Amino acid sequence: MRVAGKGLARAKELYEERGQRAKELRVEGRKVLGYVCLFAPPEIMHAAGVLPYRLRGDPREPITSAHTYVEPLGCPYVRNLFDQDLKGRNAFLDGIVMSHSCDMVQRVYGIWTYNNKPPFQYFVNVPHTLVPWSREFYKRELGFFREKMEQFAGNQVAEIKLKESIRLYNRSRALIRELYELRKLDPPLISGTEVLEVLVAGMGIPVEEFIDLLGEVIEEVKARDGGPERRAARLLVYGSVCDDTTFVRLVEGSGANVVTDDTCIGTRSFRHDVPETADPLDGLVDTYFDDFMCPRTDRGTDIDRFQYILDLAREYNANGVIMYIYAFCDPHKFDAPDVRRYLEQAGLPVLIIDDDYTMTNLAAIRTRVQAFAEMLR
Amino acid sequence: MSEPYSEMARAVKSTDTVRNIKKYAPTFYARTKLREQEGKKLVWTMVGVPPELLVAFDMVGEWPENYGTLCAAQLIATGFCEEAEAEGYANDMCSYVRNTMGYLRRCREVGGVPPEAPLGGMGNVHLLLGSGWVCEPRYKWFQAIATHYMDVPVFNDDPVSPAWDTDLEDPRIAEHYKTQLRATLKAQVTFLEDIAGRGLDLDHFRIIMQRSHQAMKFWHETLELRKAVPCPMGSEDYYTAIIPQLYLLGTQEAVDFYQALYNEIKARVDGGQGVIAHEKYRFSWFGIPPWFNLGLFNWLESLGAIVCVESSYYVKKPPELDFTDPVEALVDWIWQEAVERQKESTEVLPEVVNPGRFSALVGSKLVARWIEEYKLDGAICHRLRSCRASSLGEVHFRNVLAQIGIPTLIFESDMTDPRAWSDAQIKAQFREFLEMIDASRAKRGGRG
Ligand code: SF4
Ligand code: SF4
């Protein structure tokens, strides 16, 4: 049963309802698995007939329950996810799947599943270095994951089904890229906040419905008057998982347009299609192991490994970069000084915001963003 | 009770062997001079890389993290950490890393070794041999050094560790992980062969591996002796005695050192001699110690408290191995220990596949067993603000131990950066903890 809203209104509704659609589908008999990061490819869950539901934190809600089980010194995003789980927000799920995106996730996975055992749990392991044997390891992991999904769902994941899922997800990627095209204009036709609402909405509904939603949104945005105002500051946001609009809204309320990003839910997830390879797992390895630009993967020591960020900024005519990084996020923090140096040398000013996911220092962050936007005028 | 120890105190060691460790491991302590004299290739490396490989290729190693402990002990680390922070490395990042980055920044600034650097600095590095074991900061660290400060070859190994609920009894899964371990170790060997310009001499490597095995056996047996009451060795000795295990495995020096230490501790146990005559409290310790203040352990002993077992760097009993193919023996050793560790419940210890063959944290089942075997009254957790790998999981341990009635103290500071130390507050926490144990004993009418 789909609700009345369409396009952007529908996206906003889904964004705010947090899992409403997944709950409806569950009632209709669909199995729903919560997952944390794309290293456990949603294509594989989809091919087994499962609805992959990307878990969300809630920065508006302080962590309370998780403190009983895990210390405050760790990724605030992952702790927030765990906290939400402890508070029963995931009660509608049939289980959870996590992957070794980073150490934090694996550690919290252990503490989480030990203390608040879900009906089903699975962990996809991921090596760190881009070498042939680590790729092979990851490919075998995906094979095991596929088997596990077959057992869990009671459905065979035939090659043909997996290929079909990959095609569907690629279709959604192509549409997201089309939507992002509309941000290249000056002013952009759609705000960063709206885009994030659409992307987060898509994380919780079947890909088929997401494809429809994207189509509606693109049509609506192309036709509308009254998108974002023209601003001198056109920004790229770089950083960790951004699954809430508070930060982007703050930036856009501080005299800037957010025109693109290098974040997990943003461009990292759709820049590259999954190649349609003879063995579909090979394509998934290409995309999720090689091309997914999370700094948790060791891409060598050449500073040009950051060139893709510059390319992105140029493609979208961004004239400044905000690096939005969570406390204790080692993968991003190690790269930060070099990313900054690289971009600044190329003439792109950079502002680093170190946050605890809940933006407790909202006023201070706003002041810094305003000053940065001001500087770009 | 009088407290004769200053705020930041070096440890007073209790054993002769550890006090004289420089006699057993002269090449380690004279390493700066040696590398100047010998002109060998200098490798910066880290724990998690099998030290036997450096021995096999006759390369001189420097361990930036060990250098961090040295800078910490000499109270130089704060300056280096601040330098790193000025360069953009955030203050919640590993303080070993910040210490290194700050040192390198100072080197760049002064065009050579900065005068404040202990031991004449870390030398001119030719290659970086890192490891992805235990934490992301480790491979990101060497990656960042080679991106930010110098252009040298880097190899980071990639030993993937299973999640706590992975079924290692399934032969397919075991082979899956072992294949990765073997491949990453072999690639490490190939990298070193290319640099050294010669192949790995298997006969020589076999001897190195056998020495390593012998040393670790002595060391493990020494740790077992610490179950005795009174405890014959405390953390003030332990945290120096780990040096050969971490950095010198494969050398005869390491064998001799652990054999001597074993003999000394065995004689103590046989003679009923403990570090302190009247033990009031026996503890286990979790996490890396505050290197700038190892005197803390002496202070605890002055209160009748002894640490009998530590989770960091803990060494299990080495398995029996077939050394015919010494590389495969290494793979086997690492893997067999990983399987054992996983059985001990590794919900907070994801890094069981450790080429260095020691622990960071330990599993909750093992902890419960330790409580019995070491007759512990409680656990002390050092929460490190800058190291998630050894801190995240302590609350979980506290919960597990609470279920069997064992109290845990968690106090916060850092391994390298003395800015995180607040003496009065931390000591007050310790005193309160001891009083709490007294009170609960009084209630139960138990020992005290
Ligand atoms: S990469 Fe960073 S933000 Fe993402 S889960 Fe890991 S620590 Fe958290
Ligand atoms: S385990 Fe901790 S101390 Fe060691 S390198 Fe990693 S973050 Fe640093």
Side-chain angles (χ1 to χ4, degrees), chain A residues 80-98:
Chain A
N80 194 299
L81 292 180
F82 181 33
D83 192 62
Q84 290 289 308
D85 192 69
L86 288 165
K87 286 171 176 158
R89 306 280 144 73
N90 298 332
F92 66 99
L93 296 175
D94 292 290
I96 56 167
V97 175
M98 296 204 205

Side-chain angles (χ1 to χ4, degrees), chain A residues 17-37:
Chain A
E17 282 174 346
R18 304 180 74 86
Q20 195 50 43
R21 180 69 189 134
K23 287 174 198 163
E24 282 169 18
L25 288 165
R26 174 116 196 287
V27 172
E28 290 168 21
R30 184 83 168 257
K31 288 199 169 162
V32 186
L33 286 178
Y35 71 103
V36 172
C37 172

Side-chain angles (χ1 to χ4, degrees), chain A residues 67-74 100-104 106-111 113-115 121 123 125 127-129 133-134 137 140-141 144 147 295-296 298-301 303 305 327-328 330-331 333-335 337-338 341, chain B residues 87-90 92-93 97 134-137 139-141 143 146-148 154 156 158 160-165 172 176-177 179-180 183-184 187 347-348 350-351 361 383-385 388-389 391-396 399-400:
Chain A
H67 289 321
T68 313
Y69 304 101
V70 63
E71 31 279 282
L73 307 176
H100 189 114
S101 17
C102 67
D103 296 341
M104 276 301 123
Q106 186 161 354
R107 274 174 192 279
V108 171
Y109 172 79
I111 297 172
T113 51
Y114 181 96
N115 289 294
Q121 70 199 53
F123 191 83
N125 219 333
H128 285 109
T129 46
W133 53 93
S134 292
F137 178 94
R140 293 193 300 270
E141 274 293 302
F144 294 138
E147 282 175 24
R296 53 79 66 203
D298 185 346
R299 291 169 198 280
T301 59
I303 190 134
R305 70 184 187 273
F328 308 112
D330 289 312
K333 286 193 167 183
F334 268 84
D335 282 358
D338 290 316
R341 180 165 60 108
Chain B
E87 192 73 20
Y89 294 100
D92 56 3
M93 289 166 72
V97 173
V134 97
C135 72
E136 261 118 24
Y139 67 87
K140 294 297 289 182
W141 182 1
Q143 181 189 38
T147 308
H148 203 87
V154 185
N156 285 317
D158 199 1
V160 187
S161 286
W164 78 293
D165 55 358
R172 275 195 324 163
H176 166 57
Y177 278 95
T179 303
Q180 173 69 8
T184 198
E347 58 278 5
V348 296
E351 315 78 10
L361 280 172
R383 176 182 286 172
L384 304 163
R385 198 184 143 70
R388 269 62 77 195
S391 298
L392 204 120
E394 291 174 345
V395 167
H396 176 71
N399 295 342
V400 170

Side-chain angles (χ1 to χ4, degrees), chain B residues 140-261:
Chain B
K140 294 297 289 182
W141 182 1
F142 280 9
Q143 181 189 38
I145 290 179
T147 308
H148 203 87
Y149 286 107
M150 57 178 79
D151 188 17
V152 291
V154 185
F155 182 88
N156 285 317
D157 74 358
D158 199 1
V160 187
S161 286
W164 78 293
D165 55 358
T166 305
D167 180 11
L168 299 188
E169 304 282 315
D170 179 340
R172 275 195 324 163
I173 302 280
E175 202 39 47
H176 166 57
Y177 278 95
K178 239 179 132 173
T179 303
Q180 173 69 8
L181 173 62
R182 190 179 293 117
T184 198
L185 283 176
K186 288 206 162 157
Q188 201 166 37
V189 169
T190 307
F191 174 79
L192 288 173
E193 285 176 334
D194 288 348
I195 302 259
R198 66 174 169 87
L200 177 67
D201 175 344
L202 290 180
D203 290 329
H204 185 213
F205 192 53
R206 185 174 308 110
I207 296 168
I208 292 170
M209 285 306 300
Q210 281 164 334
R211 277 194 213 132
S212 162
H213 195 252
Q214 217 183 345
M216 291 289 249
K217 262 183 157 167
F218 278 125
W219 185 214
H220 171 75
E221 281 163 20
T222 310
L223 298 179
E224 290 288 292
L225 290 171
R226 296 173 72 197
K227 290 174 179 170
V229 180
C231 180
M233 183 177 128
S235 291
E236 65 279 18
D237 285 61
Y238 175 82
Y239 281 119
T240 301
I242 59 172
I243 285 180
Q245 160 211 331
L246 297 182
Y247 311 116
L248 296 170
L249 275 189
T251 63
Q252 189 57 39
E253 295 169 329
V255 182
D256 294 345
F257 172 78
Y258 287 119
Q259 183 161 20
L261 186 59

Side-chain angles (χ1 to χ4, degrees), chain B residues 104-117:
Chain B
L104 286 169
R105 188 175 198 245
R106 287 281 294 138
C107 289
R108 197 176 58 190
E109 223 169 72
V110 304
V113 179
E116 70 274 24

Side-chain angles (χ1 to χ4, degrees), chain A residues 223-272:
Chain A
R224 79 172 169 182
D225 298 322
E229 270 176 51
R230 194 176 174 283
R231 305 278 196 192
R234 292 176 56 89
L235 303 180
L236 177 151
V237 170
Y238 164 99
S240 322
V241 191
C242 215
D243 64 350
D244 184 274
T245 55
T246 315
F247 179 69
V248 177
R249 194 185 298 281
L250 176 146
V251 175
E252 295 189 318
S254 304
N257 282 320
V258 173
V259 293
T260 190
D261 65 80
D262 177 27
T263 62
C264 311
I265 290 168
T267 58
R268 286 180 196 165
S269 66
F270 65 81
R271 284 282 271 185
H272 302 273

